[in-house]
Amino acid sequence: MRRYLFGAAAGVAVWWILSLLINSEIILPSPMAVLGSLNEVIKSKEFYTALVSTVLKGLLSTSLVIFIGTSVGMLMGLKKGLSEALKPFVTLLQSVPVVSWLALAIFLWGIGWKGPVLLTTLSLLPVVIINTYSGVLNVDTRLIEMAKVYGVEKKKVFKYIYLGSLLPFMLASLRITLGNVWKTVLVTEFLCGDRGIGVMIAWARSYVDTPKIFALTLIGVTLAVSFERAGEGFFERVLKRWKLS
Amino acid sequence: MEIVLKVENLKKSYGDLLVIDRLTLELKKGESLFLFGPSGCGKTTFLKVVAGLIDNFEGKVERNFEKIGFVFQEPRLIPWLTVKENLMFVYEDEKRVQEVIDITGLRGFEDSFPRQLSGGMKQRVNLARAILSKPDLLILDEPFSSLDIHIKYRLMKDILRIKQRCKVSFLGVTHDPKEASIMANKVVVLSKRPTRILTVVNVSDTSEAEKKLIEIALENF
């Protein structure tokens, strides 16, 4: 902890020295200016509305990514024909640039909350699909064969063999999603949102208010770290419950 | 005597590769029949056909048994379930599970996870799982191949004791002649791939000295 604090303090010191050397608030504002801006931001009512909006979008996108990604990945792993049919779509999803989806979202809904949720979901979905698919392929077929010999019902096989084998992959998916969802939401809000922290950054950019951009970025980072930390505790509890750690 | 399993002209190929070529044999109730042959000759494939895990083959397989137990070559235990949970996974009768835990010497290990058990203990769980349903036919797929000699003889002793107690028929495979002579009444000797029967040996043919040594090993190891 002491080293961590020392590292953070050293980072701030370097930042401060660089801001003195560059001497331009537009390019690199000083830590003091950013703190002042942060103070102003968290005092405003607008910020809390934006925060709630961003958090809701993040949580909705995470739920969609995990639900759709896990289901599609599982189906692809269980049905060979389906996996071959869906693989081109997953590759397409992976390679289509966000701006193309952006145009589609704006034509469909204009600016609002739906566009950022769609764009975030589509950006993170392929990783979860591929991760879950690999998890299903990783299931020990000898265990499935054993269950078949003893005539164990399919529901039990799914619960104890498939889900048990998939759990580490599902947790990894959740970890990846929670780690990336916030920056993706902020970018997509910036591009096609009507409210949220990303939209506040867009406004700050229009007013060339770099300290505010830095302050809002700090809030975004805090949001990501908090959710990742909360997720870590959850992962450890689940792994312990399943005796995998 | 009642016939538990009758196989006639069994032929099994994987693509162009003929693995089993016109295999015919029968297993009577209470009999212990072991297939003895070189590695890769299709012994495990034969067991999988009998267990119903492979169904695209030529020939006739008549199964006159209701319940089957399978002692796999490797234990095949679910890593995140305890010994007891692994047994309950295939047979949900707690009283019977406890009974089998006692029979197979697993008492005290019910709550252990597979990773906490030695190779011999894991094979014991494999055996326990196989006898849970009081099967008419117990299939043994080289269950001793990865065990050291002491544990091997101890497990053999346990299986023979179970055989006496439960009157179950055995169908096993091995590539160890000693193992075959201890476990079987009848040993079917198989050729290299494509597998055919070379000869059938009755175990009463085993030499007196060998019998004596085996008896000592089974009693003392």
Side-chain angles (χ1 to χ4, degrees):
Chain A
M1 188 66 184
R2 198 182 285 173
R3 279 187 190 166
Y4 181 80
L5 287 176
F6 178 76
V12 173
V14 171
W15 171 15
W16 187 51
I17 293 165
L18 279 174
S19 70
L20 284 175
L21 288 172
I22 294 169
N23 197 22
S24 162
E25 273 223 335
I26 293 172
I27 295 170
L28 186 66
S30 69
M32 307 304 169
V34 173
L35 271 181
S37 190
L38 186 67
N39 188 36
E40 264 176 42
V41 166
I42 57 176
K43 272 183 185 163
S44 67
K45 253 189 186 170
E46 180 206 3
F47 164 67
Y48 292 98
T49 323
L51 182 69
V52 170
S53 175
T54 300
V55 169
L56 286 178
K57 279 181 210 128
L59 293 178
L60 180 59
S61 305
T62 304
S63 313
L64 286 172
V65 166
I66 296 297
F67 178 72
I68 301 170
T70 310
S71 312
V72 174
M74 260 189 210
L75 284 172
M76 280 174 69
L78 292 171
K79 307 271 174 206
K80 206 180 166 205
L82 195 69
S83 88
E84 269 157 30
L86 287 180
K87 263 181 196 165
F89 291 100
V90 179
T91 315
L92 188 81
L93 213 59
Q94 249 180 324
S95 36
V96 171
V98 176
V99 279
S100 308
W101 297 121
L102 174 70
L104 177 77
I106 290 176
F107 295 152
L108 268 174
W109 301 304
I111 57 162
W113 64 270
K114 289 178 191 163
V117 170
L118 176 78
L119 262 57
T120 308
T121 306
L122 291 176
S123 304
L124 300 174
L125 202 54
V127 181
V128 178
I129 293 177
I130 292 165
N131 196 32
T132 312
Y133 173 62
S134 316
V136 179
L137 295 187
N138 202 45
V139 170
D140 190 346
T141 48
R142 292 170 312 167
L143 292 179
I144 308 288
E145 207 175 62
M146 176 275 292
K148 201 175 163 194
V149 166
Y150 293 110
V152 180
E153 51 185 306
K154 281 187 177 164
K155 217 166 78 184
K156 258 174 104 180
V157 173
F158 183 75
K159 183 177 171 191
Y160 290 104
I161 299 181
Y162 279 100
L163 282 189
S165 311
L166 273 179
L167 194 71
F169 290 87
M170 284 160 78
L171 289 181
S173 294
L174 193 58
R175 196 171 278 177
I176 295 165
T177 310
L178 276 181
N180 288 293
V181 75
W182 304 105
K183 53 185 176 198
T184 319
V185 166
L186 257 59
V187 170
T188 54
E189 278 179 345
F190 184 96
L191 294 170
C192 63
D194 62 341
R195 67 184 67 161
I197 296 183
V199 177
M200 286 181 79
I201 294 177
W203 280 110
R205 190 204 62 155
S206 305
Y207 289 109
V208 204
D209 189 351
T210 316
K212 196 172 179 182
I213 295 174
F214 271 61
L216 290 166
T217 307
L218 268 180
I219 290 164
V221 170
T222 312
L223 201 62
V225 172
S226 317
F227 272 88
E228 234 183 313
R229 284 282 152 89
E232 288 290 330
F234 171 72
F235 304 142
E236 266 168 35
R237 272 204 306 278
V238 176
L239 286 173
K240 246 186 207 152
R241 161 80 187 79
W242 277 78
K243 290 105 180 173
L244 289 168
S245 63
Chain B
M1 205 188 274
E2 199 184 320
I3 290 169
V4 179
L5 175 75
K6 195 170 177 181
V7 179
E8 275 180 85
N9 287 319
L10 177 74
K11 231 173 152 180
K12 171 70 192 159
S13 316
Y14 289 107
D16 292 335
L17 185 73
L18 180 63
V19 181
I20 300 171
D21 188 19
R22 285 168 293 150
L23 196 87
T24 297
L25 59 80
E26 58 180 39
L27 174 70
K28 295 189 179 104
K29 193 175 179 184
E31 203 174 39
S32 179
L33 187 147
F34 266 66
L35 306 177
F36 169 62
S39 289
C41 77
K43 300 186 295 279
T44 301
T45 302
F46 175 75
L47 294 187
K48 284 185 176 178
V49 168
V50 173
L53 290 171
I54 294 176
D55 46 18
N56 54 338
F57 55 83
E58 284 175 51
K60 202 170 144 194
V61 177
E62 213 179 289
R63 301 177 181 94
N64 299 320
F65 52 84
E66 273 178 34
K67 285 174 274 179
I68 192 173
F70 203 125
V71 185
F72 296 94
Q73 193 169 357
E74 62 310 322
R76 301 196 185 191
L77 304 178
I78 303 175
W80 41 90
L81 298 185
T82 61
V83 167
K84 195 174 173 184
E85 286 165 343
N86 262 288
L87 298 178
M88 296 288 286
F89 175 73
V90 298
Y91 202 76
E92 280 178 25
D93 178 344
E94 205 162 344
K95 203 177 147 209
R96 174 68 184 154
V97 167
Q98 202 50 56
E99 204 178 296
V100 169
I101 282 175
D102 290 340
I103 294 172
T104 48
L106 287 167
R107 184 178 274 198
F109 293 93
E110 297 94 325
D111 298 324
S112 303
F113 287 94
R115 63 171 185 273
Q116 297 168 314
L117 303 176
S118 65
M121 288 308 273
K122 281 183 202 162
Q123 276 307 57
R124 242 167 234 266
V125 184
N126 188 5
L127 172 66
R129 187 176 55 198
I131 61 167
L132 269 174
S133 67
K134 297 183 180 167
D136 314 299
L137 175 66
L138 190 66
I139 291 183
L140 300 141
D141 183 10
E142 301 192 36
F144 316 108
S145 59
S146 59
L147 303 176
D148 71 50
I149 192 141
H150 289 81
I151 296 164
K152 189 170 172 171
Y153 276 107
R154 219 175 289 162
L155 196 65
M156 280 183 186
K157 198 168 144 185
D158 284 345
I159 294 178
L160 291 174
R161 211 182 54 221
I162 286 162
K163 185 172 187 314
Q164 263 182 345
R165 191 192 263 214
C166 309
K167 308 267 180 260
V168 56
S169 308
F170 279 6
L171 175 66
V173 301
T174 181
H175 57 252
D176 179 354
K178 184 84 65 188
E179 217 174 277
S181 65
I182 295 172
M183 298 299 296
N185 308 124
K186 201 194 272 177
V187 179
V188 174
V189 185
L190 301 173
S191 68
K192 278 186 193 167
R193 204 171 49 217
T195 303
R196 283 174 294 105
I197 295 177
L198 290 178
T199 180
V200 178
V201 179
N202 284 317
V203 173
S204 52
D205 299 343
T206 320
S207 77
E208 280 307 308
E210 198 173 11
K211 260 188 189 169
K212 188 81 191 156
L213 282 174
I214 291 165
E215 251 171 51
I216 293 168
L218 282 175
E219 262 171 42
N220 300 294
F221 280 16

